[in-house]
Every structure is written in C-alpha cells, then in structure tokens.
Amino acid sequence: MHAGGAGLGRVQVRLKWDPSPFGEPARHLDIVAATYAAGDLHGRPEYVVHTESRSPDGTITMTRHSETGLGLGYVEEMELEFERMVSAYGRVVVGVAIHQDAGPRTFGDLTHCGVLVVEGYRKLLTDDFAGVADATAATIAEFTRDAAGCWHFGELIRGFDSNPTGFMAEMGSVRR
C-alpha cells in the first residue's frame, strides 16, 4: 500500500494499550523509528529515535510518551516530518517494543493494544498486533523515498522476539 500524489508530509504514529491490573508491574511500550541512509537502505541505522528523544535534525520527535498506558485513547505518539527530511536518508522503519523489565511480555499478554498511523486526517494503518501476538517487538511501517524524492508508506507488520535494544539493531533488516 502506497500513498499517492506528491508523497508524504507530516505523519503521526499513535500507540495505545491498557495499563497493568492493580498490583502488577507497569506495562511499558515504546514507539521506535530507525532512519537509514539512501545508499544503505538495509544496513545500520544512521540514528534511532525512541522514548523522549528526537532526531538530530528535529524531523522525528516523540510528542507524547507513556510508561504505563494510563490515559484515554492513544497515549504515545511519534511525529515524522518527511517534507523536511534531508535527501541523505532514504528509508525509515517504525516499530513498537515492549519493555521486558518485569519478565517476558508479548503483544498477546496486552489488552486493547493498537497502533494508528495517520497523515492529517487520512488513515494509513490501524493494527491490533493480533498477527504478532507471540512477539515482544514488531515493526509496523516502512517509509521509503522514491527517485523523485517523494516519501511513500508501506505496511510492515513483522514480529520479533527481542528486548528493545536488540530490536532497534535488527528492525531495519526486514525487507518487504
């Protein structure tokens, strides 16, 4: 699935999940984005944005962050400004990782977990992670720049069995 027209501009990735039941350790998920050089689309990421960090040029930022899932609706949000991203970058992979501080947790262990990717009012993706229920982390989207410099969206739902740090290192190796 690709966005048409002039390519993508400002995209938001939103994440929601239910908090832990009373007395259990907090459920903590993070949106993660890895940016790859135009000349090495599947190599090592040039930089990774997660938690309350941002990209060096300010084009990828965390605008909301939750360590518990408490709140109404989507409680974590990342914004990607493709119209401002320099031409040195050709690919961005976005995923979600579950912190494993309180022992192994998978997406199947969570309730009302979901992700929404939008550009303005246009939905690009909604998913509930049911297809990766046994995973501890998952890629959700891949954004690629074409020869004309326009950014396009592709769904990339793939599960991983790794902690957040390991996931950040391997998430870009996935090819559609």
Side-chain angles (χ1 to χ4, degrees), residues 8 24 41 55 62 67 75 79 83 110-111 114 162 170 174:
L8 297 171
E24 288 187 16
L41 298 177
S55 63
M62 292 296 298
E67 294 184 3
V75 296
E79 189 165 275
E83 73 275 11
L110 306 172
T111 54
S162 55
E170 65 188 2
V174 176

Side-chain angles (χ1 to χ4, degrees), residues 42-140:
H42 296 278
R44 294 181 51 86
E46 293 292 309
Y47 60 85
V48 178
V49 177
H50 57 90
T51 316
E52 294 171 349
S53 66
R54 58 179 250 163
S55 63
D57 60 3
T59 58
I60 302 175
T61 57
M62 292 296 298
T63 55
R64 291 184 72 192
H65 177 65
S66 174
E67 294 184 3
T68 62
L70 286 171
L72 299 174
Y74 294 92
V75 296
E76 185 151 313
E77 184 175 295
M78 178 179 278
E79 189 165 275
L80 301 98
E81 297 179 65
F82 291 107
E83 73 275 11
R84 293 191 326 112
M85 200 169 285
V86 298
S87 61
Y89 305 117
R91 180 174 178 243
V92 177
V93 177
V94 177
V96 174
I98 304 170
H99 286 261
Q100 301 297 317
D101 301 335
R105 280 209 175 123
T106 65
F107 288 105
D109 297 328
L110 306 172
T111 54
H112 299 106
C113 189
V115 66
L116 171 66
V117 180
V118 295
E119 180 189 34
Y121 294 106
R122 182 172 55 135
K123 282 185 192 176
L124 301 175
L125 169 77
T126 57
D127 193 80
D128 63 2
F129 298 100
V132 291
D134 294 334
T136 59
T139 55
I140 55 165

